[in-house]
Amino acid sequence: MLIRRIKLLKCLGARYSSSHYVTTPIFYVNAAPHIGHLYSAVIADAHCRYQKLRHPASDVRLCTGTDEHGTKIQQAAAIHNVPVDQYCQEISSRYREVFQAAHIQNDDFIRTTEERHKQAVAQFWRTLHGRGHIYSAAYSGWYCVSDEVFLTDSQLRLDEASGTRYSLESGHPVEWTEETNYMFRLSQFQDDVRHWVKQEARIRPAKFEKILLDTLSEPLPDVSVSRPSNRVHWAIPVPGDDTQTVYVWLDALVNYLSSLGYPNEKFLEHWPPAQQVIGKDILKFHGIYWPAFLLAAGLQPPQQLYVHSHWTVDGQKMSKSKHNVVDPVQAAQQYTMEGLRYFLLCEGVAHSDGNYSQVKAQRILNSELADTLGNLLSRACAKSLNPCQVYPQPHAEHLADLLQSVDAAKRLRDSLLQLSERCEAHYECNHFHLVADTTMAALHAANNFFESAKPWELKGGKEGANEPRLATIIAMTMDALRLCGIVLQPIIPQLATRLLDKLSVPASQRGWDCLNENFARRDSSSSSSSNSNSRSHQLDGQSSAMLFQRIVDEKDKTVEQKPQPQQAKRSKSKKERLKTATNATTATTTTS
Ligand code: MSP
């Protein structure tokens, strides 16, 4: 218990001030959004939604946006034969639309081509220059156009046959470049950056801290922070020198400040960021350059970098050339956007790459959202069992008896007693997959209880003699659904809302504190009417009890539409996360 508490506090780090500023990377507009991009955004969104739910007093702010300068973007616009500003506008809008469809609750969407951002970059540059951290120098080195970065010999691979050198990290070709650049004195910040990286819970998961410390064990070279305007003209001019433009990564990183209104001092109300969510490919920029730039400008670096790994598709890296890029809009047509959010957050783990496959997504969503969650709601709300359509209150003597005599009732109570503390610990560390595991375990326990208690055998007893027991079983089941609905709000906000709406849970009773109000925490000696919150109330007749329709392949459609047997065969997974309760629903949705 104590160890778990200490671990939790370590995860939390210094995250207890009232401002809680969270960012996603800003997305390149050289191509349309894919599920990898959406992944960065849903992690940040679920983190912020949890923060608001658990710490309602904290001032949460989420910023996302698009990264629109540089050669890459220039080239993409040229390939599409569209003026570059129009091209940026079109792709940026697609990101905005996808994020809206996925219910990302961002407070700002920043574009690096906006005037407010250009002003911020110019001021940030002047500050670095004014403090003596930027100097002019003749620079030569291997330059990778695709990655917009100079690389050292140790970061390259030579292809003997062609004589071409490639970036070891990205695999893109490099070319020898000689030019006059402005340089940033990165070398002077080596110790400060190392000190920052080493702080408790600074870089999460911990494996990425190790990667940064390995890089920092070698001397850091100074870094070029400008490009000749004649080579990279689609960029922000260096203040006072039109022959140079600001290096796109310096430009892009400043978005986190410009969104807050920097250089207006009001930005300090939210500074530094509580958490910056990034993919593993941009670790060096956020874990070394960014803290160094900030320290050089006299600003605090972020409190935490949360680094996630990548999605592969059927085991392969996603790429246009492999024609395997997964479009979130298309995926959502198959699984719904809530289904896609659930899959990304609950199947992905930050420390290693996740594999996206349609088969897997379909199996998990059917098993967890349709069969385990949705089906239990349908059963508890079925008119045959619940003709008055109520969320009943448990009757004290039947509750005590069920807990005494039905093992599955005890298991359900134990599971619900642990739900809040466990899920809190997992959410605090962004371990969404463990939140899902814990919630699904509680729902399995609820399904098992429902099966064991056999409420259908209590229907129509003499003069309603069985009604109190039947009501108690339904009340216990609905408590489990309500608690899981509250917990799942940050992950599947729309589905959780529909579930809580159906159960007529008032908006004021959907907070984290309300997890304590349930049959499992009830003093067995208390009378059934002692708690006014627990009075029977009407279900919402306007809301459907059908939460998530099973997804069915076209080829399986005829088979799936037949009535399901009582004990439908369940899919299994290696993590045993797909163990489901009984009775698949017969409702289906079809994928092409
Ligand atoms: N523009 C830069 C970031 C600048 S932040 C100051 C950039 N853009 S990106 O569009 O290429 O990537 C944005 C985010 O998407 C990164 O966090 C990246 O890791 C993430 N992903 C890109 N491909 C991905 C997968 N295949 N899987 C998961 N996330 C991936 O980098």
Side-chain angles (χ1 to χ4, degrees):
M1 187 72 173
L2 182 63
I3 293 178
R4 198 188 296 158
R5 205 74 213 160
I6 292 170
K7 274 191 188 158
L8 174 61
L9 287 172
K10 282 184 176 175
C11 268
L12 286 169
R15 276 202 267 139
Y16 270 128
S17 70
S18 84
S19 165
H20 194 88
Y21 178 40
V22 176
T23 65
T24 74
I26 48 169
F27 302 89
Y28 283 132
V29 290
N30 60 336
H34 61 55
I35 53 157
H37 303 129
L38 182 61
Y39 187 47
S40 292
V42 287
I43 289 177
D45 181 61
H47 171 85
C48 287
R49 285 175 183 269
Y50 163 73
Q51 186 70 20
K52 290 179 199 166
L53 187 66
R54 180 67 193 94
H55 308 288
S58 71
D59 181 9
V60 180
R61 186 184 162 86
L62 172 61
C63 178
T64 188
T66 42
D67 188 352
E68 306 188 5
H69 287 132
T71 333
K72 261 206 258 212
I73 315 295
Q74 236 171 268
Q75 287 170 348
I79 290 168
H80 289 88
N81 215 4
V82 177
V84 65
D85 51 350
Q86 184 186 329
Y87 182 78
C88 290
Q89 168 69 47
E90 281 168 13
I91 305 279
S92 181
S93 303
R94 288 179 69 176
Y95 273 96
R96 231 185 251 263
E97 284 158 18
V98 167
F99 292 167
Q100 259 168 23
H103 298 282
I104 306 296
Q105 277 184 331
N106 51 299
D107 297 280
D108 190 14
F109 187 100
I110 188 140
R111 300 180 56 193
T112 55
T113 45
E114 284 176 76
E115 200 46 41
R116 59 173 171 154
H117 176 71
K118 292 180 189 166
Q119 299 290 334
V121 171
Q123 181 55 40
F124 194 77
W125 179 282
R126 282 193 289 266
T127 305
L128 294 182
H129 195 261
R131 290 174 148 240
H133 299 302
I134 287 179
Y135 61 95
S136 173
Y139 193 84
S140 57
W142 294 105
Y143 189 67
C144 178
V145 175
S146 318
D147 301 343
E148 310 263 17
V149 69
F150 278 101
L151 295 168
T152 59
D153 284 339
S154 64
Q155 294 170 312
L156 300 173
R157 170 181 70 81
L158 172 65
D159 178 44
E160 301 281 357
S162 63
T164 310
R165 284 173 171 77
Y166 295 89
S167 159
L168 272 176
E169 201 176 319
S170 68
H172 295 135
V174 297
E175 56 198 48
W176 184 255
T177 309
E178 292 178 19
E179 55 194 30
T180 298
N181 278 180
Y182 286 101
M183 304 293 293
F184 171 73
R185 297 186 199 281
L186 184 63
S187 52
Q188 291 194 349
F189 291 90
Q190 177 129 12
D191 291 342
D192 290 338
V193 172
R194 193 189 290 115
H195 177 75
W196 172 79
V197 168
K198 281 175 141 175
Q199 298 309 299
E200 187 65 53
R202 182 72 76 207
I203 315 289
R204 281 289 178 264
K207 83 177 237 196
F208 296 108
E209 173 186 330
K210 192 172 172 313
I211 293 174
L212 282 179
L213 289 176
D214 283 351
T215 309
L216 286 161
S217 64
E218 300 288 324
L220 287 178
D222 286 351
V223 52
S224 154
V225 284
S226 75
R227 301 288 181 265
S229 311
N230 57 11
R231 190 156 64 78
V232 185
H233 68 82
W234 183 244
I236 298 173
V238 163
D241 183 354
D242 281 353
T243 67
Q244 297 276 317
T245 53
V246 177
Y247 173 43
V248 285
W249 266 101
L250 175 55
D251 166 350
L253 287 162
V254 171
N255 92 84
Y256 302 129
L257 286 163
S258 32
S259 167
L260 296 178
Y262 173 92
N264 183 319
E265 286 207 342
K266 266 183 105 51
F267 86 93
L268 286 167
E269 287 171 13
H270 294 282
W271 199 261
Q275 185 168 109
Q276 300 205 269
V277 176
I278 58 165
K280 64 178 185 179
D281 53 323
I282 52 177
L283 177 63
K284 179 179 71 184
F285 299 102
H286 286 81
I288 294 179
Y289 292 9
W290 181 223
F293 290 154
L294 287 168
L295 289 165
L299 295 172
Q300 275 191 62
Q303 289 179 3
Q304 188 175 71
L305 289 185
Y306 186 76
V307 190
H308 65 76
S309 300
H310 278 187
W311 283 95
T312 57
V313 174
D314 295 321
Q316 303 232 325
K317 196 175 165 179
M318 244 191 289
S319 86
K320 265 201 233 161
S321 57
K322 288 188 186 127
H323 304 288
N324 65 351
V325 175
V326 182
D327 172 357
V329 177
Q330 270 179 18
Q333 278 163 6
Q334 295 178 317
Y335 314 127
T336 71
M337 211 30 120
E338 290 288 286
L340 184 58
R341 277 182 74 113
Y342 185 84
F343 178 76
L344 292 176
L345 288 171
C346 301
E347 187 56 23
V349 287
H351 55 78
S352 49
D353 288 352
N355 187 35
Y356 179 92
S357 94
Q358 280 200 23
V359 175
K360 188 161 66 170
Q362 185 167 325
R363 213 173 50 205
I364 287 175
L365 296 176
N366 280 345
S367 167
E368 303 191 9
L369 294 186
D371 300 349
T372 304
L373 173 63
N375 194 43
L376 188 62
L377 179 69
S378 303
R379 296 180 87 190
C381 297
K383 289 229 167 87
S384 53
L385 276 187
N386 192 345
C388 299
Q389 293 292 282
V390 289
Y391 185 149
Q393 62 175 319
H395 290 255
E397 63 279 25
H398 288 285
L399 179 58
D401 183 61
L402 283 161
L403 290 173
Q404 184 83 48
S405 58
V406 180
D407 276 351
K410 282 182 235 162
R411 285 197 297 272
L412 175 59
R413 180 192 55 194
D414 294 347
S415 172
L416 294 184
L417 282 174
Q418 294 167 347
L419 188 72
S420 151
E421 194 189 339
R422 286 195 174 172
C423 290
E424 177 177 348
H426 298 323
Y427 266 132
E428 292 289 349
C429 302
N430 284 358
H431 290 158
F432 306 110
H433 62 296
L434 297 179
V435 174
D437 283 355
T438 310
T439 315
M440 284 302 139
L443 289 167
H444 290 148
N447 275 283
N448 286 335
F449 162 68
F450 199 82
E451 276 299 295
S452 311
K454 299 188 174 47
W456 51 89
E457 291 183 357
L458 300 172
K459 281 190 303 182
K462 246 192 214 160
E463 289 166 7
N466 294 333
E467 268 173 26
R469 194 171 181 86
L470 176 57
T472 305
I473 295 168
I474 293 180
M476 292 167 73
T477 307
M478 288 192 172
D479 269 8
L481 285 162
R482 176 172 56 85
L483 265 50
C484 292
I486 291 174
V487 165
L488 287 173
Q489 289 175 99
I491 297 176
I492 40 173
Q494 302 299 306
L495 276 183
T497 298
R498 280 174 42 210
L499 166 64
L500 297 171
D501 283 352
K502 180 71 207 170
L503 297 177
S504 295
V505 179
S508 60
Q509 286 172 30
R510 297 180 182 191
W512 200 262
D513 292 348
C514 300
L515 293 173
N516 290 327
E517 293 154 24
N518 61 79
F519 78 85
R521 294 203 185 261
R522 218 175 236 220
D523 178 355
S524 58
S525 62
S526 68
S527 91
S528 55
S529 58
S530 61
N531 181 349
S532 62
N533 281 337
S534 65
R535 282 212 197 100
S536 291
H537 58 256
Q538 233 22 72
L539 296 177
D540 178 6
Q542 306 296 312
S543 311
S544 165
M546 172 54 68
L547 213 54
F548 192 88
Q549 295 197 325
R550 293 198 105 239
I551 306 152
V552 185
D553 278 331
E554 193 66 52
K555 59 183 167 20
D556 300 334
K557 209 171 156 191
T558 37
V559 180
E560 283 280 341
Q561 281 184 339
K562 286 180 190 159
Q564 293 292 299
Q566 279 287 297
Q567 295 285 331
K569 194 165 173 269
R570 298 283 162 234
S571 49
K572 293 264 191 317
S573 88
K574 59 177 188 289
K575 292 181 194 167
E576 289 231 300
R577 287 219 271 119
L578 303 182
K579 264 192 253 148
T580 59
T582 51
N583 288 358
T585 167
T586 52
T588 56
T589 186
T590 308
T591 70
S592 50

